[in-house]
Amino acid sequence: AQTVTQSQPEMSVQEAETVTLSCTYDTSENNYYLFWYKQPPSRQMILVIRQEAYKQQNATENRFSVNFQKAAKSFSLKISDSQLGDTAMYFCAFVRGAQKLVFGQGTRLTINP
Amino acid sequence: NAGVTQTPKFQVLKTGQSMTLQCAQDMNHNSMYWYRQDPGMGLRLIYYSASEGTTDKGEVPNGYNVSRLNKREFSLRLESAAPSQTSVYFCASRGRDERENSYEQYFGPGTRLTVT
């Protein structure tokens, strides 16, 4: 069975700093997708970024980028120029094809003014 | 295009009462899911429906039933609510995003349920 591990329960940085959230996963599959979701205090789950395993290029979405290391089964999220609105829980998730998403335990990120 | 909608947003029940949480999606997705999220924790899958007419148990199905009414709607029923079911419930749907060539999962806004 696939598992997803987020080893940092909480992180805190100053506004405008860069922060990296870690995620590792375990799978024997070769083709799959990885996601980062953000959950702000409003509780809404918001898709931040996705990565297809067959793509070598790391995904980027504005200030958000990933470092995808397929051999190491690592999928970290980098937030550049962090903003107060980035304060949220962040969940890493894995899925293969049409199967169910497997979520990590989450990292609570606080951006301090 | 409303995405995934859930009703109600908030609910307070007494122990032993029953209720149904409603979920609908307008993205023509095949798969739908119900999760619960307890304070300070991640999402745990209660039930899911891979396609219209099918449902399967997730990690924490006890005390719940589901109905996939049609492709759009997937309801979650608590037959006899217990305080341990106090939680925030999320519905989600998932389907192939042709534009992104990826399977995307979208979440509803959540239902905050308190059982006293």
Side-chain angles (χ1 to χ4, degrees), chain B residues 4-111:
Chain B
V4 181
T5 57
Q6 291 182 236
T7 55
K9 286 189 168 49
F10 301 93
Q11 184 70 49
V12 178
L13 292 178
K14 290 184 171 17
T15 297
Q17 287 185 318
S18 63
M19 79 159 294
T20 300
L21 280 64
Q22 307 287 353
C23 174
Q25 52 94 7
D26 61 2
M27 295 173 282
N28 201 36
H29 286 168
N30 285 322
S31 302
M32 297 186 74
Y33 308 83
W34 276 106
Y35 296 89
R36 61 177 287 173
Q37 185 179 33
D38 300 314
M41 295 181 67
L43 294 131
R44 292 188 291 171
L45 184 64
I46 304 170
Y47 269 94
Y48 68 101
S49 170
S51 61
E52 185 179 355
T54 69
T55 60
D56 287 285
K57 295 179 181 179
E59 301 171 67
V60 289
N62 291 343
Y64 305 95
N65 285 302
V66 291
S67 295
R68 183 74 183 268
L69 304 169
N70 47 56
K71 193 170 187 180
R72 288 188 65 248
E73 299 172 288
F74 187 39
S75 62
L76 178 72
R77 183 160 177 84
L78 286 71
E79 291 290 352
S80 179
S84 61
Q85 293 178 305
T86 293
S87 189
V88 179
Y89 291 85
F90 288 96
C91 177
S93 74
R94 186 156 173 264
R96 188 161 185 83
D97 184 324
E98 297 296 339
R99 180 174 57 89
E100 298 290 347
N101 192 30
S102 171
Y103 281 95
E104 303 289 346
Q105 180 154 323
Y106 295 93
F107 287 83
T111 295

Side-chain angles (χ1 to χ4, degrees), chain A residues 4-39:
Chain A
V4 177
T5 302
Q6 294 178 247
S7 58
Q8 305 150 311
E10 294 189 31
M11 294 189 74
S12 178
V13 297
Q14 296 299 121
E15 194 176 5
E17 289 183 346
T18 294
V19 60
T20 299
L21 310 183
S22 301
C23 173
T24 58
Y25 56 95
D26 184 24
T27 183
S28 58
E29 304 296 336
N30 194 44
N31 295 318
Y32 48 86
Y33 300 96
L34 295 159
F35 303 92
W36 278 98
Y37 282 88
K38 169 185 177 181
Q39 188 180 40

